[in-house]
């Protein structure tokens, strides 16, 4: 194959190209045909949904590390009943049938992500909440009170039992496949903005190493813009540190814009340049809009209390969720909030001391999340805002060490609320020990498809030339939970 | 090895290679793009964002204030804003990180010192609002003005110095228009007008990009 990118071709080069070209001829012809077929049909998205949307905004809450599904939204009393017995000795031994374990794709040769045989009892109680009577563990009493707003999916599965599954939950692909655009990036790419003064895709909270970016092949313009929720210092370099008249600054911004656009003619299709032009336009306006979003002083004391801002353990997450509601009010499309992403594996990764770990983490998120749901409902925003509560995988029914659970990919729970979904429903189920998703099984991209459907987007219409996606990348919307 | 382990030889071989000297532009090369969208066959150069430390050091170098001395104790957090030492000597830890450098993606220990090349509005704010850039703009403009009073010459020299590029007619024209607009701002002086122009070039995409 020859790739021409220099004006002068030497004799040697010419001969080389001829030789190398022979093997490439057939392939070239093949690829050219393919690219022609795509060229005639493909147009970039115009920012309008493909179907009438039911939801306008998404608040994506991601619990890094892997929340125990049995000790959150899918309680399994059989674990306590048969505690101490190995799975092979228990009535549930067919869970370990090698054929049923075959979906696991990758085993990292370390101490984690292994089969854990001895059943480990539930570390917390649970009860039924609301009219729906959905069972929720005692670690999430506030969310339990809001259970009639939730659509709980108890039959999730994924393929990789290491924390690369975090990125996998966002993009549908494990990092070993390469880096692929995340759901938020697709939404950002597919839909127009509702507020020119703020980024339409925002990320709050620390993001673990494998999951720092979003746009990937769509380009850095579709990455989430990270925002901080410190009202004292919402934005570094938020105003000029030396006297600089606004008028003079905006003349300069115009010049920068013109010069960069001009460079874009010499360097077309440079995604970084396009992203930089966009980032300058946004930065100029964010100087005003971001401090305004992060100024919570005008929120009532009742609102502060609702999100738990008066309580130390949940203050940080509470602030982040209140910021999310304020961003939704201002038209930000997709707000991605990462909990516990400060460490490489994630805060919920309870290989040991599960009880301490989940007690502490649930205390940080439970009240703020419930507060967010109530607040959105009170303001009439829950119908058009889709809230997602997700994690990369569940945890093993068996014990790891004395008091922990390992990564578990065969069955785990995720819930969604609002955005035109059914309320107070459970969809899918795991077996009696929470090992396998057995009913209405869903891979992570089914969550993506459901959200895109509510936003009125069709992921197949967003595909770009040269980037064929597989069926599993698109997923299937979970129709059963759509109202 | 054959050349006596000469690094110089190796560098020359790399920088004079066809691959290295390719343009990063895809103009007129749509065919290549259709065949190899990820540039796996190196049919063009990949534009690169310069690293955080290089961004800061380059600004100070242009202003003529970079302290290039080697060795010595690292610069603690509270002295960094005033410091003109190379960014390499800045103390940084998990808790305390220089806000200017961090926004341009630092090498992170947990990630085997790999760096991302993010593009976020916060970088635009750091380059347009920081005292570092605003002070440097004035100094660079001063030095350029010392050698020329002629606008056209000033524009051309500023482009060459800051962007390593000769401006074309469009760039000269828009620059002249901007200078005129700045001069019309009553509070502006001749010095501040030229500083503002240099400031704009430091905020040009290609100041932080290697093509």
């Amino acid at each position: 194959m020859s790739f021409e990118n220099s004006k002068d071709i030497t004799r040697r080069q010419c001969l080389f190209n001829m030789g190398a070209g022979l093997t490439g001829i057939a392939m070239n012809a093949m690829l050219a045909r393919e690219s022609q077929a795509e060229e005639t049909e493909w147009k970039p998205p115009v920012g309008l949904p493909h179907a009438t949307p039911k939801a306008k905004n998404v608040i994506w809450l991601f619990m890094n590390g892997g929340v125990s599904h049995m000790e959150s939204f899918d309680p399994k009393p059989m674990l306590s009943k048969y505690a101490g017995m190995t799975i092979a000795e228990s009535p549930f031994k067919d869970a370990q049938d090698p054929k049923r374990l075959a979906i696991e794709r990758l085993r990292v040769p370390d101490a984690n992500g292994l089969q854990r045989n001895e059943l480990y009892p539930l570390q917390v109680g649970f009860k039924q909440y609301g009219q729906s009577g959905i069972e929720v563990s005692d670690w999430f009493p506030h969310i339990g009170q809001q259970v009639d707003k939730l659509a709980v999916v108890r039959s999730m599965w994924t393929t990789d039992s290491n924390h690369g599954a975090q990125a996998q939950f966002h993009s549908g692909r494990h990092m070993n496949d390469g880096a692929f655009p995340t759901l938020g990036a697709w939404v950002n790419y597919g839909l127009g903005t509702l507020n020119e003064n703020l980024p339409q895709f925002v990320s709050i909270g620390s993001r673990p190493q494998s999951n720092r970016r979003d746009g990937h092949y769509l380009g850095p313009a579709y990455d989430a813009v990270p925002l901080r929720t410190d009202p004292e210092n919402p934005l570094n370099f938020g105003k000029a540190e030396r006297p600089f008249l606004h008028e003079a600054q905006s003349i300069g911004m115009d010049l920068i814009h013109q010069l960069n656009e001009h460079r874009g003619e010499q360097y077309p299709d440079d995604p970084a340049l396009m992203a930089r032009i966009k980032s300058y336009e946004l930065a100029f306006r964010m100087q005003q809009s971001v401090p305004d979003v992060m100024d919570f002083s005008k929120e009532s004391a009742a609102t502060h209390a609702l999100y738990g801002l008066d309580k130390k353990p949940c203050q940080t997450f509470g602030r982040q969720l209140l910021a999310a509601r304020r961003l939704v009010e201002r038209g930000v499309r997709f707000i991605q909030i990462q909990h516990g992403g400060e460490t490489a594996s994630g805060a919920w990764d309870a290989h040991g001391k599960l009880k301490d770990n989940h007690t502490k983490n649930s205390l940080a998120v439970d009240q703020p999340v419930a507060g967010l749901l109530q607040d959105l409902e009170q303001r009439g925003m829950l119908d058009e805002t889709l809230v997602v509560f997700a994690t990369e995988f569940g945890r093993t029914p068996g014990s790891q060490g004395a008091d922990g659970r390992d990564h578990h990919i065969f069955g785990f729970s995720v819930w969604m609320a609002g955005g035109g979904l059914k309320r107070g429903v459970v969809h899918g189920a795991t077996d009696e020990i929470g090992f396998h998703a057995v009913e209405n099984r869903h891979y992570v991209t089914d969550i993506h498809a459901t959200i895109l459907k509510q936003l009125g987007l069709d992921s197949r219409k967003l595909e770009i030339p040269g980037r064929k996606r597989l069926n599993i990348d698109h997923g299937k919307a979970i129709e059963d939970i759509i109202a | 090895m054959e050349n006596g382990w000469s690094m110089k030889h190796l560098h020359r071989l790399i920088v004079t290679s066809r691959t290295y000297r390719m343009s990063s532009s895809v103009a007129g090369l749509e065919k290549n793009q259709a065949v190899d969208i990820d540039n796996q066959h190196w049919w063009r150069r990949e534009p690169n964002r310069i690293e955080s430390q290089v961004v800061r050091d380059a600004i100070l170098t242009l202003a003529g204030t970079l302290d290039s001395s080697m060795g010595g104790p690292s610069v603690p957090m509270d002295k960094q804003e005033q410091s003109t030492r190379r960014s390499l000597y800045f103390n940084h830890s998990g808790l305390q990180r220089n806000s200017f450098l961090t926004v341009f993606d630092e090498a992170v220990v947990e990630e085997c010192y790999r760096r991302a090349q993010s593009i976020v509005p916060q970088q635009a704010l750091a380059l347009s609002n920081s005292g570092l850039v605003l002070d440097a703009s004035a100094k660079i403009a001063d030095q350029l003005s010392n050698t020329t009073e002629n606008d056209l010459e000033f524009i051309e020299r500023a482009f060459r110095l800051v962007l390593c590029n000769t401006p074309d007619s469009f760039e000269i024209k828009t620059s002249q228009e901007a200078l005129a607009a700045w001069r019309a701002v009553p509070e502006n002086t001749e010095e501040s007008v030229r500083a503002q122009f240099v400031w704009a070039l430091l905020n040009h995409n290609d100041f932080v990009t290697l093509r």
Side-chain angles (χ1 to χ4, degrees):
Chain A
M1 246 182 276
S2 74
F3 293 93
E4 293 314 331
N5 195 6
S6 59
K7 306 224 163 36
D8 48 340
I9 296 175
T10 62
R11 194 175 64 94
R12 179 178 297 182
Q13 225 169 58
C14 181
L15 287 168
F16 170 79
N17 286 349
M18 283 167 66
L22 285 176
T23 49
I25 285 172
M27 199 181 182
N28 262 331
M30 215 169 70
L31 289 166
R33 250 202 318 278
E34 200 177 278
S35 69
Q36 268 164 15
E38 279 167 347
E39 265 165 35
T40 49
E41 288 162 28
W42 185 79
K43 280 188 225 84
V46 289
L48 294 173
H50 306 115
T52 314
K54 302 266 179 51
K56 269 199 207 139
N57 317 80
V58 178
I59 300 178
W60 173 272
L61 310 174
F62 196 76
M63 306 298 119
N64 285 284
V67 178
S68 165
H69 51 299
M70 298 87 63
E71 278 134 344
S72 56
F73 300 98
D74 190 13
K76 293 292 171 188
M78 287 299 164
L79 287 181
S80 300
K81 187 171 174 193
Y82 292 96
M85 213 179 254
T86 63
I87 296 173
E89 291 161 0
S90 78
F92 317 109
K93 68 167 188 280
D94 70 318
Q96 287 182 316
D97 178 349
K99 266 187 239 141
R100 302 183 70 192
L101 301 177
I103 58 166
E104 183 175 26
R105 198 180 55 159
L106 181 103
R107 173 79 58 77
V108 179
D110 68 5
N112 296 327
L114 305 174
Q115 283 290 314
R116 302 294 167 184
N117 297 317
E118 196 175 303
L119 291 172
Y120 188 52
L122 289 182
Q123 297 301 298
V124 66
F126 63 90
K127 58 173 169 282
Q128 292 186 312
Y129 285 93
Q131 290 190 331
S132 57
I134 297 172
E135 292 160 333
V136 176
S137 95
D138 295 345
W139 278 329
F140 300 90
H142 293 87
I143 297 177
Q145 298 290 344
Q146 305 303 318
V147 83
D148 287 341
K149 298 187 175 74
L150 312 186
V152 182
V153 182
R154 285 180 172 165
S155 48
M156 299 300 303
W157 60 273
T158 185
T159 63
D160 296 80
S161 56
N162 60 30
H163 296 287
Q166 287 159 356
Q168 188 173 11
F169 202 99
H170 291 73
S171 71
R173 289 288 193 100
H174 190 268
M175 61 201 280
N176 289 359
D177 288 351
F180 291 82
T182 66
L183 177 68
W186 284 112
V187 172
N188 191 354
Y189 179 70
L191 287 177
T193 180
L194 299 169
N195 182 344
E196 296 281 340
N197 296 325
L198 285 167
Q200 74 162 347
F201 179 20
V202 162
S203 167
I204 299 176
S206 298
R207 306 181 64 169
Q209 172 232 328
S210 62
N211 189 30
R212 285 261 157 89
R213 308 289 294 280
D214 301 282
H216 299 294
Y217 66 65
L218 295 174
Y222 301 100
D223 280 341
V225 173
L227 290 185
R228 224 185 10 221
T229 53
D230 180 0
E232 305 298 315
N233 184 14
L235 205 56
N236 283 342
F237 307 107
K239 43 182 177 289
E241 295 180 343
R242 302 287 178 271
F244 201 171
L245 286 171
H246 187 79
E247 195 184 348
Q249 207 187 0
S250 70
I251 294 168
M253 286 295 167
D254 279 349
L255 176 63
I256 296 165
H257 181 81
Q258 283 177 304
L259 294 177
N260 279 336
E261 288 267 310
H262 178 66
R263 203 54 119 228
E265 289 162 21
Q266 295 160 302
Y267 294 92
D269 257 347
D270 176 353
L273 175 60
M274 285 186 272
R276 195 161 301 281
I277 292 172
K278 193 177 141 192
S279 78
Y280 266 81
E281 290 168 2
L282 201 52
F284 198 52
R285 294 192 290 259
M286 274 168 55
Q287 296 178 67
Q288 290 292 322
S289 59
V290 168
D292 176 54
V293 173
M294 300 308 168
D295 175 10
F296 304 144
S297 64
K298 289 190 192 88
E299 296 285 346
S300 70
T303 303
H304 281 247
L306 188 61
Y307 285 84
L309 300 192
D310 51 348
K311 292 183 192 149
K312 193 97 208 304
C314 52
Q315 196 178 48
T316 306
F317 203 63
R319 252 189 213 158
Q320 295 176 343
L321 295 203
L322 178 54
R325 191 265 285 159
R326 292 171 65 85
L327 288 165
V328 168
E329 281 176 323
R330 286 162 178 76
V332 174
R333 287 276 187 195
F334 202 103
I335 300 133
Q336 180 166 289
I337 301 185
Q338 302 283 338
H339 180 259
E342 291 78 11
T343 54
S345 58
W348 294 82
D349 196 22
H351 292 288
K353 297 201 172 105
L354 180 127
K355 198 169 177 175
D356 289 354
N357 174 298
H358 275 37
T359 303
K360 185 169 157 246
N361 287 317
S362 58
L363 216 52
V365 305
D366 176 45
Q367 190 186 337
V369 173
L372 173 72
L373 294 172
Q374 283 170 275
D375 196 21
L376 289 173
E377 179 82 325
Q378 280 165 16
R379 288 165 198 267
M381 293 163 68
L382 192 58
D383 291 333
E384 291 193 328
T385 307
L386 206 161
V387 181
V388 188
F389 184 96
T391 184
E392 66 259 40
F393 39 50
R395 305 210 74 88
T396 50
S399 63
Q400 178 177 20
D403 54 4
R405 296 189 190 276
D406 207 339
H407 310 157
H408 190 73
I409 60 161
F410 304 99
F412 65 103
S413 304
V414 159
W415 60 254
M416 294 183 271
L421 298 181
K422 284 184 187 161
R423 294 171 170 220
V425 293
V426 168
H427 173 83
T430 50
D431 55 32
E432 286 181 276
I433 53 170
F435 199 110
H436 290 283
V438 289
E439 197 181 282
N440 295 317
R441 295 160 47 79
H442 294 289
Y443 180 59
V444 298
T445 47
D446 291 351
I447 299 290
H448 304 180
T450 309
I451 295 169
L452 290 176
K453 179 161 190 199
Q454 295 310 91
L455 291 168
L457 285 174
D458 177 350
S459 60
R460 283 181 173 79
K461 291 188 180 149
L462 293 176
E463 260 187 22
I464 61 172
R467 305 286 185 183
K468 189 79 195 142
R469 300 179 79 200
L470 308 175
N471 272 341
I472 194 166
D473 296 333
H474 292 289
K476 267 204 213 97
I478 309 175
E479 301 288 347
D480 277 2
I481 62 168
I482 294 173
Chain B
M1 278 186 294
E2 286 148 26
N3 293 281
W5 295 88
S6 160
M7 290 300 273
K8 190 84 191 163
H9 173 80
L10 188 64
H11 290 159
R12 191 172 292 131
L13 193 69
I14 294 170
V15 301
T16 58
S17 69
R18 180 165 173 259
T19 310
Y20 188 86
R21 290 187 298 159
M22 277 181 179
S23 163
S24 66
S25 175
V26 297
L29 296 163
E30 290 77 11
K31 233 178 170 172
N32 290 0
Q33 216 176 1
V35 179
D36 177 17
I37 196 164
D38 285 324
N39 192 27
Q40 286 182 347
H41 296 269
W42 296 110
W43 52 272
R44 65 176 166 86
R45 192 192 173 92
E46 295 276 0
N48 259 319
R49 227 260 338 278
I50 56 180
E51 301 104 315
S52 58
Q53 283 86 355
V54 180
V55 175
R56 179 178 165 277
D57 290 4
I59 292 164
L60 291 174
T61 307
L62 292 177
T65 53
L66 185 74
D67 171 1
S68 59
S69 60
M70 283 172 64
S74 55
V75 184
M77 202 67 197
D78 55 343
K79 301 262 162 37
Q80 290 178 1
E81 216 182 312
Q82 289 78 39
S83 174
T84 57
R85 292 215 66 188
R86 292 173 60 200
S87 311
L88 176 69
Y89 295 109
F90 278 12
N91 190 0
H92 85 145
S93 67
L95 287 174
Q96 292 197 310
R97 293 180 172 277
N98 181 289
S99 54
F100 186 90
L101 297 182
T102 305
V103 72
F104 289 97
D105 309 306
E106 289 222 79
V108 183
V109 185
E110 302 149 14
E111 297 173 30
C112 305
Y113 299 95
R114 266 176 306 178
R115 287 172 196 263
Q117 289 188 22
S118 71
I119 298 172
V120 292
Q122 282 86 344
Q123 290 164 5
L125 292 174
L127 284 174
S128 57
N129 284 339
S130 65
L132 174 76
V133 173
L134 292 167
D135 289 344
S137 305
K139 291 206 177 78
I140 298 166
D142 259 4
Q143 289 158 23
L144 290 168
S145 300
N146 283 342
T147 50
T148 178
E149 282 181 12
N150 175 332
D151 258 3
L152 180 63
E153 217 175 305
F154 172 74
I155 292 168
E156 282 177 342
R157 285 191 188 183
F159 262 84
R160 273 201 294 273
L161 182 70
V162 179
L163 304 175
C164 300
N165 230 317
T166 311
D168 63 20
S169 58
F170 174 87
E171 287 167 322
I172 291 172
K173 193 177 124 268
T174 35
S175 300
Q176 284 169 333
E177 283 165 6
L179 286 172
W182 272 314
R183 286 194 179 108
V185 177
E187 293 87 343
N188 262 346
T189 62
E190 194 50 34
E191 287 78 43
S192 67
V193 166
R194 289 194 163 192
Q196 282 156 9
F197 178 68
V198 171
W199 167 85
L201 292 191
L202 288 173
N203 278 279
H204 193 292
N205 176 68
D206 287 7
F207 176 64
V208 292
T209 307
L210 294 177
R211 289 201 178 277

